[in-house]
Amino acid sequence: MEGERRGRRDAPPLPQPSTHPPIQSSRPDLGDRATVRGLRVSWRRIGLAIEAQRPMAELRAAFAHSEAIALDLDECIFPGYTQVELGRRVAWRILRRPVRASDRRLLARLALGGVYFGIKETKRLVGVGTPMRRLVRRYERVLRGVPESYLLEAAAEIPAASYPYAAETVAELATQAPTGLVSLGLDIVARAYTQAFRRAEGPSLSFIESNVVCFRPGCRGRVFDAYDREAFLENGADKRRVLERRMAELGAAVVTVVGHSEDDAAMAVLARETGGLAIGFNPSWRLRGVFDIVVRGRDWESMYALAAILLGPSGR
């Protein structure tokens, strides 16, 4: 298929055996150096705000063999949580331009969503997590009954608030292999990204794996009902599972992953197991060792530079 041809074209042979450190856990604490068969492997700078723990030849070879590329969305492409941003934009739209004045009755529950998020973030700051299923139940209570039109309009606005250079970087990465989003976020937002990042010429986002939301008939059209529990993505293991399924559909044996948090660690391990690359964008220090490459920045400018480095001097 075309994705396979792009993934293998002009690809140098993969170094054998690989010298990157084996991963024993999705939550490693490797710090500034990783141990490889008793040796100490230093991180080295390969660009502005870009560090790697593998030689450049290995990085380019692994990327050149990649036949699929998976990207996280929340706190990676988008500077925050898209579910929270969706609720905020829906509330603002209803407050300022409701389709019907009676729609403002929904604002009390939407405001409660902000309270829930504040409590979650406060707990996180003191090291106390909130189970994903509990967050989902709260989110469902907040959005239940909101007309689909408000949600779709708000979702369409979110990609424009992504990190600068994100769309350009995705387009560059997609010249190598089919590229898509694997996210715990909502499918209506992920689909908005495929539309907003679409290029007149050249590839961009071509697949999404995310949580599916269900709508039910309301008195004035469809309204939000609940998450689809049969397709529910709860954690990093679920993200890895759907990525493996997508790779099988694409006929892709090697994957490169761009992630940020613990929810991406399992996908990062998969990338390294298949011979691809695990790239971390602003990961925590504890998760740093999961990734082959770590990029720091307030936007995706350094990610764009990394794409150029991996594609090589001639690009694609």
Side-chain angles (χ1 to χ4, degrees):
M1 60 173 55
E2 183 179 352
E4 293 177 325
R5 290 198 297 271
R6 289 206 305 270
R8 296 192 175 116
R9 184 174 59 189
D10 302 323
L14 281 170
Q16 296 292 334
S18 173
T19 59
H20 63 269
I23 299 296
Q24 301 300 327
S25 167
S26 65
R27 300 180 63 181
D29 188 5
L30 299 183
D32 190 47
R33 293 173 179 267
T35 303
V36 189
R37 297 186 180 93
L39 300 177
R40 304 291 281 179
V41 179
S42 299
W43 287 84
R44 57 188 62 84
R45 178 166 293 185
I46 62 172
L48 184 62
I50 307 171
E51 292 182 298
Q53 60 172 325
R54 295 170 61 183
M56 179 64 75
E58 280 194 24
L59 300 175
R60 282 180 170 160
F63 186 71
H65 281 79
S66 296
E67 297 168 335
I69 299 173
L71 311 171
D72 185 33
L73 178 56
D74 292 339
E75 295 191 302
C76 192
I77 289 177
F78 182 80
Y81 296 98
T82 52
Q83 299 99 313
V84 175
E85 182 68 9
L86 182 69
R88 187 188 70 80
R89 289 177 181 268
V90 167
W92 186 244
R93 184 172 293 270
I94 292 175
L95 178 65
R96 297 188 63 192
R97 300 191 306 276
V99 175
R100 291 176 174 82
S102 60
D103 289 341
R104 289 199 173 101
R105 61 183 170 77
L106 298 168
L107 289 173
R109 274 193 288 117
L110 290 168
L112 185 60
V115 174
Y116 286 152
F117 179 71
I119 294 172
K120 167 191 168 293
E121 287 298 286
T122 301
K123 291 170 61 178
R124 182 180 65 83
L125 290 174
V126 297
V128 179
T130 304
M132 176 68 172
R133 288 185 180 273
R134 184 179 301 171
L135 292 174
V136 166
R137 287 195 298 269
R138 290 174 177 174
Y139 199 69
E140 287 175 332
R141 285 199 296 268
V142 167
L143 288 186
R144 188 163 287 129
V146 172
E148 182 182 27
S149 59
Y150 286 122
L151 291 163
L152 295 181
E153 290 171 7
E157 298 172 352
I158 291 177
S162 300
Y163 280 117
Y165 296 95
E168 294 83 354
T169 304
V170 169
E172 287 297 305
L173 295 174
T175 64
Q176 168 60 35
T179 300
L181 299 175
V182 181
S183 170
L184 299 181
L186 304 182
D187 62 330
I188 57 176
V189 176
R191 286 199 302 270
Y193 269 87
T194 64
Q195 295 295 321
F197 281 21
R198 180 173 294 171
R199 298 277 166 158
E201 297 181 3
S204 185
L205 293 173
S206 56
F207 66 86
I208 60 171
E209 298 288 349
S210 58
N211 275 307
V212 177
V213 295
C214 300
F215 294 91
R216 59 178 172 79
C219 60
R220 300 188 307 274
R222 300 206 309 169
V223 297
F224 182 94
D225 185 34
Y227 280 63
D228 183 349
R229 289 300 194 275
E230 293 184 2
F232 183 53
L233 304 183
E234 182 176 6
N235 50 38
D238 288 338
K239 291 175 75 171
R240 171 170 175 150
R241 173 178 52 81
V242 296
L243 176 55
E244 288 177 318
R245 183 186 66 199
R246 177 65 66 166
M247 290 172 63
E249 293 174 359
L250 294 171
V254 182
V255 66
T256 281
V257 167
V258 179
H260 164 81
S261 67
E262 282 189 22
D263 291 333
D264 304 312
M267 293 199 301
V269 173
L270 175 64
R272 298 173 75 169
E273 288 175 351
T274 64
L277 287 180
I279 302 170
F281 178 71
N282 289 336
S284 68
W285 187 264
R286 184 170 57 80
L287 288 176
R288 190 173 187 242
V290 177
F291 300 102
D292 299 302
I293 302 172
V294 167
V295 180
R296 305 280 180 190
R298 295 182 177 181
D299 56 33
W300 267 42
E301 185 173 8
S302 291
M303 284 290 298
Y304 186 70
L306 175 62
I309 290 170
L310 294 175
L311 287 167
S314 60
R316 286 245 197 276

